[in-house]
Amino acid sequence: AIAGKVTEKYPDVIFHAIAYCEVTNPPDFVLHKNILPRLCFELVSLSDPEAGPERRKLLEEWALKAARLDFYDYVYSFEFYLLPRVYYTKHSGYLKELIRKYKLHAYYAASFGTFPDSGPNLYLIHKILWNDHTDVEKTVNDWCVSAVGPKAAPYLRQYYAFWEKYWDSAELKKTQWYLSVRNVYMNLGEK
């Protein structure tokens, strides 16, 4: 009701609303078109066989209630992890899915900037947000060439491919860290 009254005089005002923790579920009514809800969870959790479908259902429910969505993603790497934490291929696919299927209008990547360990992570995210038809592998390879030159680039890409496989391994999915996949973001040492 407030959004309706305000937009009578200021039609371009956007109201942000954060869908976080206790208010993750959408309301039982359609939101005013100028309300932009921000969903908050780790995007790569969509790959989990149980949490993924639950999260997609949540996205679908929000997409029915809001004209567009905002997303707050957790792409932490060296800030909290001692190993490079990268998911270029999976993460890019999920980001494209948000754009194409769930009316993504805005996106925020929680990160403390770019560290050498995360490589082209944020660069790739920006490229996809600009053009959701961005070729992920070509973009990562181009970044590697720019970072270390054409001779060393294949080795740098191989290094990042190793870490992508590591974070997606079956062994890692048995850890206490991975068991927090339903949390807003995955926690080391916490369930």
Side-chain angles (χ1 to χ4, degrees):
I2 293 170
K5 286 291 185 189
V6 171
T7 56
E8 286 175 10
K9 188 170 182 178
Y10 305 101
D12 296 330
V13 170
I14 301 294
F15 299 87
H16 262 117
I18 297 178
Y20 186 81
C21 290
E22 291 81 7
V23 291
T24 298
N25 294 322
D28 58 0
F29 54 89
V30 175
L31 296 172
H32 187 279
K33 65 183 178 78
N34 289 46
I35 296 176
L36 180 61
R38 173 179 276 181
L39 280 72
C40 307
F41 61 82
E42 204 162 326
L43 192 54
V44 294
S45 67
L46 292 177
S47 66
D48 183 74
E50 293 177 14
E54 293 168 5
R55 295 275 163 89
R56 281 187 175 87
K57 184 175 186 274
L58 182 67
L59 287 163
E60 288 168 8
E61 289 171 355
W62 272 105
L64 293 173
K65 302 297 181 178
R68 52 195 166 191
L69 297 177
D70 183 1
F71 193 79
Y72 189 106
D73 194 6
Y74 298 85
V75 293
Y76 297 129
S77 185
F78 199 61
E79 307 91 333
F80 297 110
Y81 298 89
L82 298 176
L83 306 171
R85 185 168 177 247
V86 295
Y87 301 94
Y88 304 134
T89 305
K90 276 192 172 188
H91 188 273
S92 296
Y94 299 139
L95 185 54
K96 290 177 181 187
E97 181 182 344
L98 277 181
I99 293 166
R100 296 171 185 168
K101 190 172 180 183
Y102 301 112
K103 305 186 280 190
L104 184 70
H105 180 77
Y107 174 90
Y108 179 82
S111 171
F112 291 103
T114 302
F115 288 91
D117 71 302
S118 59
N121 196 32
L122 294 177
Y123 175 75
L124 182 59
I125 289 169
H126 284 95
K127 287 288 203 177
I128 290 168
L129 291 172
W130 187 261
N131 175 4
D132 67 331
H133 296 286
T134 296
D135 182 310
V136 174
E137 192 59 29
K138 181 182 181 314
T139 303
V140 172
N141 285 329
D142 289 348
W143 186 93
C144 289
V145 169
S146 296
V148 296
K151 287 185 181 178
Y155 301 105
L156 183 58
R157 181 61 186 109
Q158 186 178 7
Y159 171 79
Y160 289 131
F162 170 84
W163 291 113
E164 282 186 272
K165 288 178 187 170
Y166 171 82
W167 289 104
D168 199 33
S169 68
E171 295 82 16
L172 197 69
K173 292 179 180 175
K174 297 174 187 172
T175 65
Q176 186 171 347
W177 167 79
Y178 189 83
L179 295 177
S180 68
V181 71
R182 282 192 170 91
N183 290 4
V184 173
Y185 55 90
M186 295 167 75
N187 306 83
L188 288 173
E190 299 177 27
K191 283 190 177 180

